[in-house]
Amino acid sequence: MSQKEEVKVDEELVREIASLARLDLTDEETRTFVPQFQDILKYFSILNELDTENIPPAYLSSANKSVTRADKVEESVPTQEFLANAPQAKDGYVVIPRVLIEQ
Amino acid sequence: MEPYELSVQQTHELLVNREISAEELMRAYLERIQRLDPKVKSYVTVTEENAIEQARDADQRIKMGEGLTPLTGIPYAAKDSLSTRGIPTTCSSKILENYKPFYDCTAIRKLKSTGAVLLGKNNMDEFGMGSSTENSGFFTTRNPWNFDHVPGGSSGGSAAAVAAGLAPFTLGEDTGGSVRHPASFCGVTGLKTTYGRVSRYGLLPLVSSFDTIGPMARSAYDVALVLEAIAGHDPKDSTSRIESIQPYSEILRKTENLRGLRIGIPKEYFVEGLDAEMEAALRAAIRQIESLGARAVEVSLPHTQYAIPVYYLILFAEASSNLAKYDGVRFGLSERNVDSLLDVYLKTREMGFGAETKRRIMLGTFALSAGYYDAYYLKAQKVRTLIRRDFEKAFETCDALITPVAPTTAFRIGEKISNPLDMYLADVFVVAVNLAGIPALSVPCGISNGLPIGMQIMGPHLSEEMLLRIGYTYQSQTDWHTKHPPCWND
Amino acid sequence: MKYEPVIGLEVHAELLTKSKMFCGCEVVDSITAKPNRTICPTCTGQPGALPVLNRKAVELAVRVGLALECEIHTESIFARKNYFYPDLPKGYQISQYDQPLATDGKIRIETEVSPRRHGDAGPKDVRIRRVHLEEDTGKLSHADGYSFIDYNRSGVPLLEIVTEPDLSSPEEVKAYASKLRAILRYLDVNSGDMEKGVIRFEANVSVRAAGSDQFNTRTEIKNLNSFRALTLGTEYEIKRQSEIYERGGTVEQETLGFNDATGKTYSQRGKESAHDYRYFPEPDIPPLVLEQSWIDSIRASLPELPEAKTSRFIEQYELKPQEARLLTSEKALADYFEGVVSKSKSPAKTVSSWIAGEFMRYLNDLSIDVTNIPLPAEDFAKLIDMVTDKTISGNSGKVVLGEMFRNGGKAEEIVKAKNLAQVSDAGFIQETVAKILNDNPKEVEQYLAGKESILQWLMGQVARATKGKADPTVARELLVKSLEAKRK
Ligand SMILES: [Mg+2]
Ligand SMILES: [Zn+2]
């Protein structure tokens, strides 16, 4: 998308994004988001006033470079402590409804 | 004097002189929380049993005189975004309502080793998304100065707890003003640390590029004591700074004036929309600081007006990714009365996240998605470079910058909640600091209509020592930081 | 119309580190270890946990990059690949995206069968587009209405190696895959144990009219986890797509699975339809900046690789290219060959044909891995020498080798125990020759009538009668002499 164009936010776009973000929005939420997104994105388009052609992106905040650790084994967490938070667990596994793979 | 009225430093003296035991101190705080917090609502969890047990340990330590630190036996609370082992850590989100981590945040672990005692966890805007604590998934924290007003956010509970005498200090977390903003609204001293100065390990992330843990207390000196305990390099956080920390409190004790310091006043921060009484209070504070030997100069941060869109675009993007792990599979809320795994995801996230969180996840997913990345996310990162350069340039001509924290004092509960963009714009003075990764201190400098005014002091990377010196000398000459809200004696 | 395939491969190879990519949890056998035994906040995606990069994983990745003749980038960054799947605990995979560790390499492959497109079999360079580091996911298993998640494998370092679409036949795909596997084993970065899933393949396949240079819609076949699956899966997909075009249809861009049982690909539409991974730089990991001197020292420590070893074997040992390639297909085999050569007085060529022949047959028949050869090189050298110096016949040598493989023991002892020592005594052999010529008058007549091939059959009779002990040279000499005597 070109930087000068304005995005047209509609319910379809909101639904598409919601599906990508795994949010099951209600119809009311979808309707509310449309004008809110439009407003916010419109305001954010003030960034287009700036020519950033030759400006490098800032990306990472850290002052560090190449932070690594030695390949050393450290103690793991007992399985039960980890599973204590799991909504469902069995025989050491985290359990979920069956993942469907079409064959 | 009641124990809750004392500073960290004064409490420490009472403890080591055995005029009060850590357990008595703890019980006094717990009693006060029980009495006053139903009105303030600054805590989401109070860890009573744990606290008393640890206070007894501290008493033992004091008795033996071993491993004593300025924080031994001192109670504190932490924003509920800091992971605490075996203690609920919710980020004030329904999606984490029953989550008890199996590990401690590094900052919490470090405080534990000093002998400081955790009282409980503070309310916040869900996952740090907000500037009013109205976005908590549980309840809204009240501003102790006026219960009809917000405490600011997102570390609203942590600021309110200090302001109301419900903890001598707290740990907040600042992603885009979340320590400074509520500190100014509640009239306490709060430090946003340099990115990487305090380990983020165990801090539930909002924006990994911006998040910083910082202390909130009643004075710059108390903030320095806490900073000494929590700052420093952590091999578990690749982004944590390797430079060694400074003896902050000792430096303060030796500081008498601010001679030689050049204070920059960015003209873009003193513009239309800034409350007149607030501007007057700030100008007075700057004169006070000049009287301590500093020299004020006008500087320019020309890209200031772009900070809001840049900040929010990067926030949306990173937050959408950081919040993907809340899927109902391994921990937290999980909607299992469904037909498929996909529905576990969809329903859990729909039920567990609040409106503002969903809005931001949506906008971030959008900003990163194919076709929009360059126009939004990449563009924002490029403008971020310009904003960083603004600060680098300003710090060539001055040592520190002084600005307001917010355009107004604490607004009313409900006033901005229906218009998200309005709420975002209220962060105009605080977010640039996070874009640049620099530290900033919020110090009370006035009261308007019964609500506190805050002054923001910014400095270059790792200049915490200087910021605390400015705050400390200013507080040695003024008494704004010692003023109490009306509920203080309730 | 004739169609030709255009294929690119993505390979995921686990790296042989002790601990995981971003945490200190031990890397364990994901098949035998108890579920969720080596886990921590970081590799189970606990909120607030952070990654710290394993230096050894970087080193192993650089080794591979260098071995594949890639450009190693002294500055690379990690990125988040965002998608939802229950084996991915954080909701994103830490990978590399637009600034990978290494790019632009190549692997030379050899195919026996003529690739359809290029006409000739023989050497071909397959371009490597990129080599990057990422983390593995957990493992899912399924039963009844549930899926079970084990995070032991979550966070194990993975190397992703991506080719350009340079492969033009299933044979080339297989040749590439086995060459890459050999290189990874040469470098000691991966065990090559495909049954454990330590190397996994994905193929991007499209077809086009033969001779065309346009690229058509491609499909991506996942979970091709054996050489057999790779060959069958790409073969099936080429045929499927060609038939669609033949019918005038269009190929849909999609992700396919491969069913090992049926040998067919199938649509995975139900799984992850929209591929919008929303990559962005991983804020929790600072840029990876490598010192050139470190890269140079890794380069200096690289072992001799299959390509160079093959050339050296051809030159130094005067081997045929095909033999040299076989011997260098595995480092352990090449080392074993050189071990035998150094212990043996026989020519290297002799050693090579022993290894390429009977020896390999025994390895295959007994399913012995080349890294686990039960026969000490020294003992094998002795056996070959006994054949060379005619202590035993070639046939006896084979018998002895079989005995050594099955029951162990030294060649001399087996020869003695089985009374296999070769006899060159002309008197003893002459007796046998005379008897055989006597017993087979018809064959003698044929020989004398000019059918010289009968000689070979008669040699066989001598060998049988002497249980392989007669020195064949002596036997042949005596046979010819006796036959010629009959002519007069
Ligand atoms: Mg990959
Ligand atoms: Zn781990």
Side-chain angles (χ1 to χ4, degrees), chain C residues 157-441:
Chain C
L158 274 189
L159 202 62
E160 182 172 321
I161 302 156
V162 185
T163 72
E164 296 292 343
D166 284 353
L167 298 160
S168 338
S169 67
E171 293 77 19
E172 288 190 3
V173 168
K174 188 180 169 207
Y176 168 81
S178 38
K179 187 62 167 283
L180 176 62
R181 176 177 176 271
I183 293 173
L184 297 178
R185 276 165 62 104
Y186 261 74
L187 294 170
D188 260 334
V189 304
N190 179 285
S191 70
D193 198 344
M194 298 183 60
E195 271 160 31
K196 293 204 164 140
V198 300
I199 307 182
R200 308 192 286 272
F201 299 94
E202 289 166 32
N204 289 301
V205 180
S206 66
V207 302
R208 62 186 173 197
S212 156
D213 54 9
Q214 89 180 58
F215 290 99
N216 285 332
T217 307
R218 61 190 164 89
T219 56
E220 185 183 348
I221 317 172
K222 296 224 179 241
N223 50 341
L224 296 170
N225 296 337
S226 66
F227 291 131
R228 183 181 158 274
L230 258 183
T231 310
L232 292 182
T234 49
E235 247 165 31
Y236 179 85
E237 188 55 18
I238 292 163
K239 191 157 157 273
R240 190 185 71 89
Q241 291 187 17
S242 305
E243 283 169 4
I244 290 176
Y245 287 127
E246 204 65 58
R247 286 197 309 269
T250 49
V251 170
E252 231 183 290
Q253 176 159 5
E254 61 180 331
T255 302
L256 305 170
F258 174 74
N259 186 326
D260 252 319
T262 63
K264 293 179 179 173
T265 61
Y266 60 87
S267 176
Q268 283 194 331
R269 233 168 317 200
K271 197 179 163 187
E272 178 79 15
S273 53
H275 282 297
D276 190 342
Y277 291 126
R278 291 159 282 136
Y279 283 98
F280 71 97
E282 165 58 281
D284 290 331
I285 304 178
L288 181 62
V289 179
L290 305 180
E291 299 275 345
Q292 190 57 48
S293 59
W294 191 58
I295 298 172
D296 292 342
S297 74
I298 295 171
R299 191 194 303 275
S301 74
L302 287 184
E304 184 181 36
L305 292 166
E307 211 53 46
K309 213 181 266 291
T310 306
S311 307
R312 179 166 68 80
F313 278 18
I314 293 171
E315 186 146 314
Q316 182 178 344
Y317 302 120
E318 299 177 334
L319 304 183
K320 291 195 200 91
Q322 205 153 321
E323 265 179 358
R325 274 204 296 281
L326 173 78
L327 291 176
T328 56
S329 63
E330 293 276 0
K331 182 166 181 295
L333 187 62
D335 289 348
Y336 186 76
F337 163 74
E338 295 207 276
V340 177
V341 168
S342 73
K343 299 273 164 33
S344 160
K345 295 185 215 81
S346 314
K349 274 200 269 195
T350 308
V351 173
S352 157
S353 51
W354 270 95
I355 291 184
E358 290 298 294
F359 184 86
M360 285 305 282
R361 203 167 58 76
Y362 279 116
L363 286 188
N364 288 335
D365 288 356
L366 303 173
S367 305
I368 297 169
D369 191 86
V370 286
T371 55
N372 214 4
I373 296 168
L375 206 60
E378 198 166 3
D379 294 356
F380 191 27
K382 182 71 196 159
L383 170 62
I384 295 171
D385 287 351
M386 286 175 83
V387 175
T388 306
D389 68 16
K390 299 191 174 162
T391 308
I392 56 172
S393 69
N395 281 332
S396 301
K398 288 175 191 173
V399 173
V400 175
L401 182 62
E403 189 62 24
M404 289 168 90
F405 258 110
R406 275 186 294 268
N407 304 318
K410 302 236 184 263
E412 297 102 310
E413 288 157 14
I414 297 166
V415 166
K416 202 180 272 174
K418 298 205 163 220
N419 190 21
L420 291 170
Q422 184 159 269
V423 179
S424 311
D425 173 42
F428 166 76
I429 297 173
Q430 179 57 45
E431 252 173 59
T432 314
V433 165
K435 184 169 182 298
I436 282 168
L437 294 186
N438 227 15
D439 292 353
N440 298 288

Side-chain angles (χ1 to χ4, degrees), chain B residues 128-197:
Chain B
M129 300 199 193
S131 316
S132 67
T133 318
E134 290 166 289
N135 292 327
S136 164
F138 305 137
F139 44 79
T140 299
T141 298
R142 310 281 158 158
N143 191 316
W145 292 80
N146 183 333
F147 290 158
D148 294 334
H149 288 246
V150 302
S154 65
S155 311
S158 303
V162 172
L166 300 170
F169 77 87
T170 55
L171 292 186
E173 177 277 328
D174 192 316
T175 303
S178 292
V179 162
R180 292 157 287 155
H181 187 269
S184 81
F185 275 19
C186 293
V188 304
T189 305
L191 177 67
K192 185 267 170 205
T193 50
T194 303
Y195 182 78
R197 180 67 297 179

Side-chain angles (χ1 to χ4, degrees), chain C residues 76-133:
Chain C
S76 65
I77 63 172
F78 286 87
R80 290 190 185 174
K81 179 181 182 178
N82 295 284
Y83 67 96
F84 288 90
Y85 209 63
D87 60 7
L88 186 71
K90 298 186 296 299
Y92 56 84
Q93 180 192 32
I94 303 178
S95 182
Q96 293 191 299
Y97 186 52
D98 51 7
Q99 290 186 56
L101 184 70
T103 55
D104 303 304
K106 64 176 196 290
I107 288 185
R108 173 153 295 195
I109 59 166
E110 300 268 350
T111 41
E112 310 292 339
V113 179
S114 292
R116 271 154 250 177
R117 179 169 166 213
H118 296 283
D120 299 318
K124 171 176 177 176
D125 283 340
V126 178
R127 289 170 300 160
I128 304 294
R129 180 181 293 169
R130 55 189 281 134
V131 173
H132 75 240
L133 278 164

Side-chain angles (χ1 to χ4, degrees), chain A residues 20-22 59-60 62 64-79 82-83 85 88 90-103, chain C residues 17-20 23-26 35-39 44 52-56 84-86 142 144-149 259 266 270 272 281-283 286-289:
Chain A
L20 208 50
R22 298 291 186 274
Y59 281 153
L60 304 172
S62 179
N64 301 340
K65 294 224 183 304
S66 296
V67 179
T68 57
R69 42 174 274 275
D71 184 23
K72 221 181 89 213
V73 172
E74 282 159 41
E75 213 177 310
S76 288
V77 171
T79 309
F82 163 57
L83 293 180
N85 275 305
Q88 199 180 348
K90 198 183 173 218
D91 300 336
Y93 292 94
V94 172
V95 179
I96 50 169
R98 187 172 181 131
V99 179
L100 291 176
I101 298 172
E102 278 177 38
Q103 296 240 350
Chain C
T17 53
K18 293 193 198 78
S19 64
K20 292 186 182 180
C23 63
C25 290
E26 189 180 358
N36 293 307
R37 187 172 77 71
T38 57
I39 46 135
T44 58
V52 186
L53 182 59
N54 185 335
R55 187 155 54 241
K56 185 75 182 177
F84 288 90
Y85 209 63
H142 316 279
D144 308 321
Y146 297 98
S147 292
F148 300 81
I149 322 175
N259 186 326
Y266 60 87
E272 178 79 15
E282 165 58 281
L288 181 62
V289 179

